[in-house]
Amino acid sequence: MSGEILQLQPRLHCIAACVPQGARLADIGTDHGYLPVWLLQNGKIDFAIASDINAAPLEHARRTAQRYGVAARMDFRLCAGLDGIAPEEADTVAIAGMGGETIVAILQAAPWLRQSDRTLLLQPMTKAELLRPWLAENGYCIRQEHLVRDKGNIYAVMVVHPGNSAAPTAAEAWCGAGLLHDPLYGDYARSRVRKLESAAAGLRSARSADSALLASLESDACALRKKIKEWEDANGT
Ligand SMILES: C[S@@+](CC[C@H](N)C(=O)[O-])C[C@H]1O[C@@H](n2cnc3c(N)ncnc32)[C@H](O)[C@@H]1O
């Protein structure tokens, strides 16, 4: 058994904190395997499945597990999404560090995730504004959402369960419905407005701008600026 303890970066630490004690975890797109290895080392889980669509990252995860002495308590699966994982094998599924569209595609390909209560921990690197409405339209409910700052960026971590939820407003799609009390909300929301504004500016300068898309970006930016103003007034900032 290795005596070395893995140090986790804030983004992964935030996800780890959302994993229920004793969970049967599947980490999809594990890459380096840091999340399951840290959870095993810290006694939060007893066993984990680490999967990846690519062989090299999965090998990386295997090496991390060996280095930190937890390889015997992990299973490594080379597969797309949850294709190589049976429903009874995992009650908690982490899908982190990927684009929102990839996360949606992985969830679409595994409709059994909705069939019994299961915890999904989703952390999109991009397109969270697509993921949130998709979850509401497809039988999932975001029970909690957290923001975490890591190397200058702010990431949203979603704790999702099967269940009904109302469709998010435009401001909620971009910034989450449950994040208003998060200390990072103001910085997160302002960075999301800047993203919308720069996408709209890019479209305006294009020769053949998609006018419907431009109108939608401008309307979302307007809704979000209004929400930020309300939040600033309520928080005295
Ligand atoms: C940037 S890494 C994220 C690693 C880790 N989950 C994290 O959050 O730090 C993304 C990983 O997802 C894997 N990946 C991408 N699409 C996938 C899919 N459809 N199914 C499984 N793994 C996928 C990639 O091979 C890569 O190793």
Side-chain angles (χ1 to χ4, degrees):
M1 177 90 175
S2 152
E4 236 185 316
I5 299 292
L6 176 67
Q7 298 300 319
L8 220 49
Q9 67 187 99
R11 178 180 62 84
L12 290 173
H13 203 275
C14 180
I15 302 168
C18 298
V19 173
Q21 183 69 38
R24 283 178 293 130
L25 175 78
D27 184 30
I28 310 302
T30 195
D31 195 356
H32 35 63
Y34 294 156
L35 178 67
V37 167
W38 187 92
L39 289 162
L40 286 162
Q41 271 206 314
N42 286 273
K44 201 155 183 196
I45 60 173
D46 298 326
F47 181 79
I49 298 171
S51 81
D52 206 286
I53 198 170
N54 293 305
L58 198 63
E59 195 44 43
H60 190 179
R62 208 187 295 273
R63 283 200 308 275
T64 306
Q66 283 160 355
R67 174 174 171 187
Y68 291 98
V70 298
R73 293 189 284 146
M74 284 179 71
D75 221 13
F76 301 88
R77 311 262 171 98
L78 182 61
C79 60
L82 287 117
D83 287 0
I85 296 162
E88 64 279 9
E89 288 187 295
D91 58 24
T92 303
V93 175
I95 313 177
M98 292 176 220
E101 284 159 320
T102 305
I103 295 177
V104 164
I106 290 173
L107 297 178
Q108 267 172 331
W112 54 264
L113 285 172
R114 271 193 304 259
Q115 281 159 12
S116 59
D117 198 20
R118 225 176 283 270
T119 304
L120 307 183
L121 304 173
L122 309 180
Q123 185 272 302
M125 300 302 270
T126 57
K127 306 270 179 181
E129 69 278 9
L130 296 187
L131 179 58
R132 293 186 183 101
W134 186 89
L135 290 168
E137 282 158 22
N138 287 275
Y140 292 102
C141 167
I142 302 178
R143 283 226 188 126
Q144 290 171 34
E145 203 166 342
H146 307 281
L147 294 174
V148 57
R149 197 189 293 275
D150 195 337
K151 295 193 191 97
N153 294 313
I154 299 177
Y155 301 98
V157 172
M158 304 170 190
V159 182
V160 173
H161 289 255
N164 296 324
S165 56
T169 63
E172 289 168 350
W174 279 86
C175 283
L179 285 173
L180 287 169
H181 299 293
D182 194 293
L184 292 176
Y185 179 81
D187 287 351
Y188 180 64
R190 285 186 281 267
S191 78
R192 306 294 281 156
V193 167
R194 284 194 296 277
K195 188 169 178 57
L196 271 162
E197 287 171 345
S198 98
L203 263 188
R204 261 183 241 109
S205 64
R207 272 203 199 139
S208 54
D210 176 339
S211 54
L213 177 59
L214 180 57
S216 147
L217 292 173
E218 284 172 338
S219 145
D220 285 2
C222 182
L224 196 45
R225 276 193 294 264
K226 192 162 167 253
K227 193 82 195 167
I228 293 170
K229 175 82 175 63
E230 283 167 19
W231 180 86
E232 286 173 343
D233 290 347
N235 288 275
T237 57

